Amino acid sequence: GGLGLVGAASGGHLDVIEAFIGTFGVDVEAANRFGETALMLAARNGHTDTANALAGTHNANVHAADRRGRTALMWAARNGHNATVNALSGTHNANV
C-alpha cells in the first residue's frame, strides 16, 4: 500500500492516489526507505496538482522531512518547480 502510494505520487497519478487513500485507507504519510512521502515525491517531480491534493484534501504534513532533512518544499525548489513551490508555500503554508 504505502510504496504504491509513493510510486503513484512520483508519477503524478492522482486517480491512483485517490484509490490508495480513499478506497484502501493507505496512510498519506507512508514513506519509502529514504523517508520520502508521497507529497515529497510529487513536489520533487513538479506534480503541482498532486501535491495540492495531498497537502490540501488529504492533509499531508508539508513540514515533514526525509532522512536527508529535505521537505517537499525543498525538493520542489531544488528541482526548479516554481508552481509547486508557490502552491506549497502560499496555499499550504510550507516553509524551509
Side-chain angles (χ1 to χ4, degrees):
L3 289 179
L5 174 66
V6 171
S10 181
H13 303 291
L14 192 51
D15 55 335
V16 176
I17 290 166
E18 297 294 342
F20 273 114
I21 296 171
T23 304
F24 302 113
V26 174
D27 182 4
V28 72
E29 301 300 335
N32 64 19
R33 65 187 176 120
F34 302 109
E36 298 164 332
T37 64
L39 177 59
M40 291 174 201
L41 290 173
R44 182 172 78 187
N45 293 321
H47 300 299
T48 305
D49 290 342
T50 302
N52 271 328
L54 288 164
T57 306
H58 300 293
N59 297 311
N61 183 357
V62 297
H63 305 292
D66 64 18
R67 292 191 180 168
R68 290 169 277 194
R70 294 183 181 139
T71 65
L73 180 61
M74 291 173 166
W75 276 115
R78 178 183 173 123
N79 291 328
H81 301 303
N82 295 332
T84 307
V85 167
N86 291 337
L88 290 172
S89 62
T91 305
H92 304 293
N93 299 313
N95 52 49
V96 178

